[in-house]
Amino acid sequence: MGHSCGIGMHLGYKHFSIYSHDHEKVTNSSIFQIKKLNSNYTNKNYKRPLLCNNALDNNNAADNLVAAPVPPHKISTMVPQTLAQQTAFKDGSTSMSVVLAPGLEPATIVIPTHVKRSDFPPGFVFGASTSAFQTEGNGKEGGRAPSTWDSMISSGGNQMAIDSYSLYQDDVQLLKDMGMTAYRFSISWSRILPYAGVDNSFVNQQGIDFYNNLINQLIDNGITPFVTMFHFDLPQSVQDKYSGFLSEDIIKDFKYYADVCFKNFGDRVKNWITINEPYNFGSFGFKTGLPADNTIDPSPYVATHNIILSHAAVVQHYRDTYQEIQDGKIGISLSSLWFEPYDRKNGHHIEAQKASLEMMLGWYMDPLVNGEYPKVMQDLVIGGLPKFTPEQKAMVQGSFDFIGLNYYTARYVTPSHISTIDTTYGQCRTEFIEQGVQNKEGTYIGTPAPQSNDIYVVPTGLRDLLIYVKHRYNNPEVYVTENGVPATPTITGSIKDLAANKNIEEIREALLDEYRIKDINEHLFNLREALADITKEDGKSVSTNVKGYFVWSLADNMEVDVGGYQTRYGLNYVDYLDRHRRYRKASSMWFTHFMAPSTQQ
């Protein structure tokens, strides 16, 4: 989905403790105090409200870290590209020649060799991720009804995103060519139920047929589908009727929609994800104009509560009705940055690290594992968090077979004072957690992604986040469901036109993404390090329970940030100026090499 930021909270004083990471090992740190909470929100400056009414006591160190005809398939737009000769050098490195576009001379890329496919367990999943609204297109083609994201998809006059609705066979071929063993995609709710929330009884057979065809195509090519049921694109009919997740009505409607998915696809889909990045949707979606009415409390706490209940209700329904027969698993994908203290010797900065993880990841993980919100949030949210009834707690706790983690970047955090007025709850003396990219010594958190002031590549953050989840949440089964790096190359024409005009530099900028190869390798290296974190349980050695890794994204698409179509995360290039034609980038060709059995020695 691209990078996800955080929401801020006002806090006061209260004790809590957790684990702090030191890159080499997990150590027990000290204690953090806080109290009351208000709702203020971050922006691109990465300021996260932390404390209300009181200053921190500097004497304490902190503890831890948070039927209708099937639509015809369009003529393939894939471009033949070649993976040429590979050369090994004495230092162990390897080079690979690739032809990026027809008529061009081969380009040589250096292949990192410090991590191999054989470093991971035999059944470890390697795949790529996308979402429906970012790839399929937003038209009414195939009986689809509008979603809340259609206006953004249509930015710049592009109505079809990357037209995967018509070109899905090309996408499957790309996955096969790369040697991917899994594909994580999402189903468009409004393509399946065009009148969702108004008339759920009408199921769009064209939508069912489309996803059946995609699922069958994947399985026929040895690729396992991982299916997300909700990836931000709420049916407009649901939004209009009761403001979506701000109403408890969403729970029964989401459950009905999920049932349609299980019933139609569950015989082949064995890995379900209920909701993608609920933190991003629940936090930002209801403070940036979705919705604009004031008939329901627009608090993200209400939206988040209903998201969690919707997820849990679907999991319970799947387990009660389908799981034994269909033999599948179900989980949720959560987003989180990794956080480091600005000053590792300052207890308050370590407290800020802990609070950041609590308020981003713990907001969801604590209810799923423990049946209730993090203690710090229970005590401190002004006006109080919504509370789970005993029946709801029983439904929520343990409502996952696996957890998806979406990780992109990290930040240093530090407390800083500021006075503010919250228009909902009144004036409050507030202390913020401020996020930054440099620490006290001036060291940057990581390397900035190409043309980006937002994403800093911090591969060690993935390792630390996975180990944190292992130790804090009882080592759940985890898939890294998104990880990637963006670029915003300058492209002035189609690849064909650029080649005809011998504009080789723009083609190289578009397709020769060696930085992405390096990024994936370094994250896989750190994922391997996380797997090597061995603990003893009942006399047995237990490693970190990570089962797979998905790159965001299979192909360039409409990104949910200011870059839109200009921001490119894809392993494969989409030519928006030439019928959404796909070109394999160097990283796509590298993945073929990485996954090939001949390279695993």
Side-chain angles (χ1 to χ4, degrees):
M1 168 55 79
H3 172 52
S4 48
C5 309
I7 179 178
M9 299 179 181
H10 304 286
L11 306 177
Y13 283 82
K14 188 74 181 179
H15 271 70
F16 58 69
S17 67
I18 83 176
Y19 285 99
S20 169
H21 283 70
D22 157 288
H23 289 301
E24 296 296 328
K25 59 185 178 180
V26 180
T27 57
N28 206 11
S29 203
S30 117
I31 296 186
F32 174 29
Q33 307 196 21
I34 318 192
K35 194 169 177 186
K36 281 188 182 175
L37 214 150
N38 200 341
S39 57
N40 199 356
Y41 301 84
T42 63
N43 53 29
K44 288 293 183 181
N45 295 323
Y46 293 99
K47 287 192 174 180
R48 178 189 304 259
L50 174 59
L51 294 169
C52 235
N53 301 327
N54 290 301
L56 283 168
D57 178 358
N58 262 321
N59 295 325
N60 286 338
D63 200 354
N64 194 16
L65 308 158
V66 131
V70 177
H73 175 62
K74 287 186 179 179
I75 296 173
S76 173
T77 60
M78 288 184 63
V79 179
Q81 295 166 278
T82 55
L83 199 64
Q85 181 176 344
Q86 298 174 16
T87 304
F89 300 101
K90 291 182 180 180
D91 65 359
S93 63
T94 304
S95 72
M96 180 170 67
S97 296
V98 296
V99 177
L100 297 173
L104 296 186
E105 292 295 319
T108 300
I109 59 174
V110 176
I111 301 173
T113 57
H114 59 291
V115 62
K116 306 185 296 295
R117 167 66 185 89
S118 57
D119 292 338
F120 299 87
F124 194 88
V125 169
F126 287 94
S129 290
T130 63
S131 81
F133 81 95
Q134 293 173 276
T135 59
E136 289 178 11
N138 78 332
K140 296 179 180 178
E141 192 174 25
R144 178 186 177 276
S147 82
T148 52
W149 282 90
D150 282 11
S151 60
M152 187 167 184
I153 299 168
S154 301
S155 63
N158 182 3
Q159 297 291 321
M160 297 311 300
I162 66 171
D163 199 16
S164 287
Y165 181 76
S166 301
L167 302 175
Y168 70 90
Q169 292 181 10
D170 288 358
D171 294 341
V172 174
Q173 187 63 49
L174 288 171
L175 290 159
K176 183 178 181 180
D177 290 346
M178 289 188 291
M180 296 290 197
T181 58
Y183 180 39
R184 174 179 172 248
F185 64 95
S186 74
I187 290 175
S188 169
W189 187 346
S190 61
R191 190 179 294 284
I192 298 296
L193 298 175
Y195 306 107
V198 177
D199 181 7
N200 285 328
S201 66
F202 181 83
V203 178
N204 177 31
Q205 189 59 43
Q206 290 186 72
I208 298 295
D209 292 344
F210 168 70
Y211 291 113
N212 271 328
N213 290 335
L214 172 57
I215 291 164
N216 291 340
Q217 186 90 8
L218 290 167
I219 293 171
D220 289 346
N221 284 279
I223 300 165
T224 301
F226 279 66
V227 177
T228 304
M229 288 179 280
F230 179 73
H231 195 128
F232 292 5
D233 49 341
L234 190 70
Q236 190 64 50
S237 56
V238 170
Q239 178 68 22
D240 291 343
K241 184 177 180 181
Y242 51 73
S243 300
F245 283 97
L246 288 180
S247 169
E248 291 183 356
D249 291 346
I250 192 77
I251 300 170
K252 61 178 177 56
D253 282 336
F254 186 58
K255 180 179 172 181
Y256 186 93
Y257 159 61
D259 182 80
V260 174
C261 293
F262 299 147
K263 190 177 298 180
N264 285 277
F265 313 125
D267 58 326
R268 287 150 294 148
V269 174
K270 307 302 178 184
N271 299 277
W272 293 100
I273 296 167
T274 56
I275 296 171
N276 177 74
E277 294 184 346
Y279 174 88
N280 297 34
F281 186 81
S283 300
F284 298 116
F286 297 95
K287 279 296 181 183
T288 55
L290 289 176
D293 63 79
N294 293 313
T295 57
I296 301 175
D297 179 7
S299 167
Y301 308 118
V302 173
T304 293
H305 197 69
N306 290 329
I307 287 172
I308 292 172
L309 291 175
S310 297
H311 156 81
V314 166
V315 172
Q316 183 182 65
H317 179 61
Y318 181 68
R319 288 174 171 174
D320 290 345
T321 309
Y322 293 102
Q323 191 166 44
E324 184 175 354
I325 299 170
Q326 297 181 349
D327 193 29
K329 298 187 298 184
I330 190 165
I332 188 170
S333 283
L334 306 176
S335 58
S336 186
L337 279 68
W338 179 250
F339 300 100
E340 287 288 339
Y342 174 81
D343 180 357
R344 296 182 68 84
K345 296 179 181 179
N346 187 312
H348 294 169
H349 293 199
I350 301 173
E351 295 161 10
Q353 176 192 34
K354 191 271 186 198
S356 298
L357 286 165
E358 289 273 329
M359 292 186 288
M360 189 167 197
L361 183 61
W363 196 352
Y364 293 88
M365 280 300 293
D366 274 48
L368 296 179
V369 173
N370 304 317
E372 52 190 27
Y373 293 111
K375 187 65 164 60
V376 63
M377 293 182 67
Q378 290 184 53
D379 292 344
L380 313 177
V381 175
I382 292 179
L385 283 171
K387 296 186 181 299
F388 296 111
T389 67
E391 293 78 13
Q392 289 172 338
K393 178 177 178 179
M395 180 177 70
V396 168
Q397 188 172 12
S399 60
F400 63 92
D401 299 320
F402 65 88
I403 295 294
L405 281 178
N406 297 353
Y407 170 79
Y408 288 93
T409 191
R411 286 292 187 271
Y412 292 115
V413 288
T414 180
S416 62
H417 286 87
I418 187 170
S419 294
T420 188
I421 295 178
D422 185 288
T423 56
T424 304
Y425 297 111
Q427 188 169 5
C428 181
R429 175 68 180 178
T430 305
E431 182 162 333
F432 281 79
I433 291 178
E434 184 172 350
Q435 301 180 16
V437 297
Q438 287 180 280
N439 67 7
K440 184 180 180 181
E441 289 74 35
T443 303
Y444 281 90
I445 191 83
T447 304
Q451 303 94 33
S452 175
N453 296 318
D454 189 18
I455 298 292
Y456 279 71
V457 178
V458 190
T460 54
L462 177 61
R463 176 197 64 195
D464 292 344
L465 184 64
L466 291 170
I467 293 175
Y468 171 80
V469 169
K470 174 185 179 179
H471 288 271
R472 181 161 176 79
Y473 297 111
N474 306 320
N475 201 19
E477 182 174 313
V478 169
Y479 291 87
V480 178
T481 41
E482 289 183 26
N483 175 242
V485 60
T488 312
T490 300
I491 308 296
T492 59
S494 70
I495 296 296
K496 288 168 63 176
D497 288 344
L498 293 174
N501 295 326
K502 301 192 182 306
N503 190 339
I504 307 303
E505 284 308 308
E506 281 194 27
I507 294 176
R508 289 176 64 89
E509 189 177 2
L511 303 180
L512 192 60
D513 58 343
E514 290 185 277
Y515 60 88
R516 184 168 284 112
I517 296 172
K518 181 175 182 288
D519 173 78
I520 294 170
N521 270 270
E522 291 181 351
H523 280 90
L524 287 176
F525 177 84
N526 280 277
L527 195 160
R528 186 184 68 185
E529 294 296 293
L531 290 173
D533 181 76
I534 306 297
T535 54
K536 291 288 185 179
E537 296 179 15
D538 299 325
K540 297 179 181 179
S541 296
V542 178
S543 63
T544 307
N545 195 15
V546 184
K547 300 296 187 181
Y549 173 85
F550 291 79
V551 179
W552 183 273
S553 173
L554 169 63
D556 299 331
N557 56 64
M558 192 284 297
E559 288 297 338
V560 186
D561 62 15
V562 293
Y565 287 101
Q566 303 305 313
T567 301
R568 295 178 180 266
Y569 276 87
L571 293 165
N572 298 282
Y573 182 87
V574 176
D575 195 335
Y576 298 117
L577 301 176
D578 187 10
R579 298 180 299 151
H580 303 94
R581 191 182 295 272
R582 275 75 158 142
Y583 291 82
R584 296 187 68 186
K585 298 181 187 178
S587 58
S588 172
M589 297 183 182
W590 168 81
F591 235 111
T592 302
H593 169 85
F594 177 79
M595 295 298 292
S598 60
T599 66
Q600 303 310 313
Q601 304 303 319

